[in-house]
Amino acid sequence: MSFTLSVSPLEETSFSVNVADNVQKIREGIRQAALRVGRDPSTIRLLAATKTVVSSRLIEAYAAGVRIFGENRLQEAQEKIPAVGPRQGLTWHFIGQMQRRKLKDIVGNFAVLHSIESVEQARNINVIAEKMGIQQDILLEVNVAGEGTKGGFASKDIPEALVHIDQLPHVAVRGLMTLPPFSENPQNARPYFAELRQLRDSLSQESLKQGGLKELSMGMSNDYHVAIEEGATMVRIGTGIFGKRG
Ligand SMILES: *Cc1c(COP(=O)(O)O)cnc(C)c1O
C-alpha cells in the first residue's frame, strides 16, 4: 500500500487564493457600486459561481458569508452538494444550460434555475415539478445581444413567453438573467444590462403570480459593478472569489 499524497492541479493552483479576502473585496465592490447609484447594498445578493472549484473552497466561501452557490454542471453539483452538506441559510442555484434529459435531476434540487431558454423547457420543468409536488423558481435567460452562439429568449419574445409560462402552476418566474457578450471593457456590457432592466420594468406591471419579476441576475467578476449600477439584484462571481479556473 502506498501512502503518497496526490494533489490535483486544481487544488494546487487555488492554494494561494484567499477566498475570505476575496469575498470581502467583492462585498466592498458591491457596496460601493450600490452607493454610487443610491441603492441599498443589502438588496443585492452575491452568488458564488462554483464550476471547477473544489468543495473545501466552497466551505471557505460559506464561512466568509456566501449563502448562494451557483453550479453550471449537474455532475459537479451532485458531488459538491453532499460534500458541502446542509448548512444554515445555504442555497444552490443552477446557472448553466440544461439538457432535457438532465432536467429530472435538476428540478427540485436547486432553489432557482437561472437559464430557462424556451417555453417548451419551462413546460418540461412544470411536468417534473408537478410530479414532485413542488413549485420551481426560474429566471428567463435573455440573449440581449442576439448572439447566434448563445441560447436564451430574444427580448422581444419575452412578453409572449411570459403569458404561456405564467399559466404553468408548478413554475414561478422570479426574473430575468443575462450573459452579455464578453468584453475586456466592462463598460461595453452596460447597454445590455440596461436593456434587461428596462425589459424587467416594462413587465413588472403585468399580473404575474406570487410577486412577479423582481430579480435581475446579471454581472460577473469583471463587470458586476456596472451590472449593479444598472439594477442587478444578483451578481454571479466565480474568479473574483475563487481565483482563475484551472
Ligand atoms: C462561470 C460563470 C459565472 C462567473 O464567471 P466569472 O467571470 O468567473 O466571475 C457567472 N455566470 C455564469 C452563467 C457562469 O457560467
Side-chain angles (χ1 to χ4, degrees), residues 49-194:
T50 57
K51 58 178 177 273
T52 79
V53 180
V54 294
S55 311
S56 58
R57 292 277 149 176
L58 272 51
I59 292 168
E60 288 175 47
Y62 178 84
V66 174
R67 290 295 177 269
I68 309 174
F69 291 141
E71 255 298 342
N72 296 66
R73 299 168 189 164
L74 180 60
Q75 206 186 338
E76 280 193 44
Q78 286 171 331
E79 288 165 20
K80 289 176 210 174
I81 292 173
V84 172
R87 288 168 193 262
Q88 182 81 41
L90 176 62
T91 59
W92 288 79
H93 292 191
F94 200 84
I95 62 173
Q97 311 227 290
M98 292 165 285
Q99 292 165 283
R100 183 170 183 176
R101 63 190 170 83
K102 301 226 169 124
L103 282 180
K104 64 176 192 330
D105 295 318
I106 292 174
V107 175
N109 289 318
F110 296 86
V112 183
L113 313 183
H114 283 233
S115 310
I116 307 307
E117 49 187 4
S118 70
V119 173
E120 192 202 347
Q121 191 176 42
R123 288 198 177 109
N124 293 336
I125 291 167
N126 184 64
V127 169
I128 298 165
E130 179 173 12
K131 282 187 195 136
M132 298 176 89
I134 60 158
Q135 189 180 63
Q136 176 70 60
D137 284 348
I138 64 171
L139 307 179
L140 305 185
E141 180 168 356
V142 183
N143 185 351
V144 276
E147 291 172 282
T149 52
K150 263 184 204 157
F153 293 87
S155 299
K156 67 168 175 44
D157 293 338
I158 288 283
E160 200 195 324
L162 273 175
V163 170
H164 296 297
I165 297 174
D166 213 34
Q167 288 165 6
L168 306 172
H170 294 276
V171 300
V173 183
R174 297 299 178 200
L176 307 175
M177 177 267 204
T178 200
L179 239 160
F182 177 78
S183 167
E184 292 288 341
N185 180 357
Q187 297 302 335
N188 290 340
R190 187 182 294 279
Y192 300 115
F193 294 145

Side-chain angles (χ1 to χ4, degrees), residues 49 51 72 95 179 220-221 236-239 245:
K51 58 178 177 273
N72 296 66
I95 62 173
L179 239 160
M220 315 202 302
S221 297
R236 308 179 309 267
I237 310 292
T239 51
R245 284 181 284 276

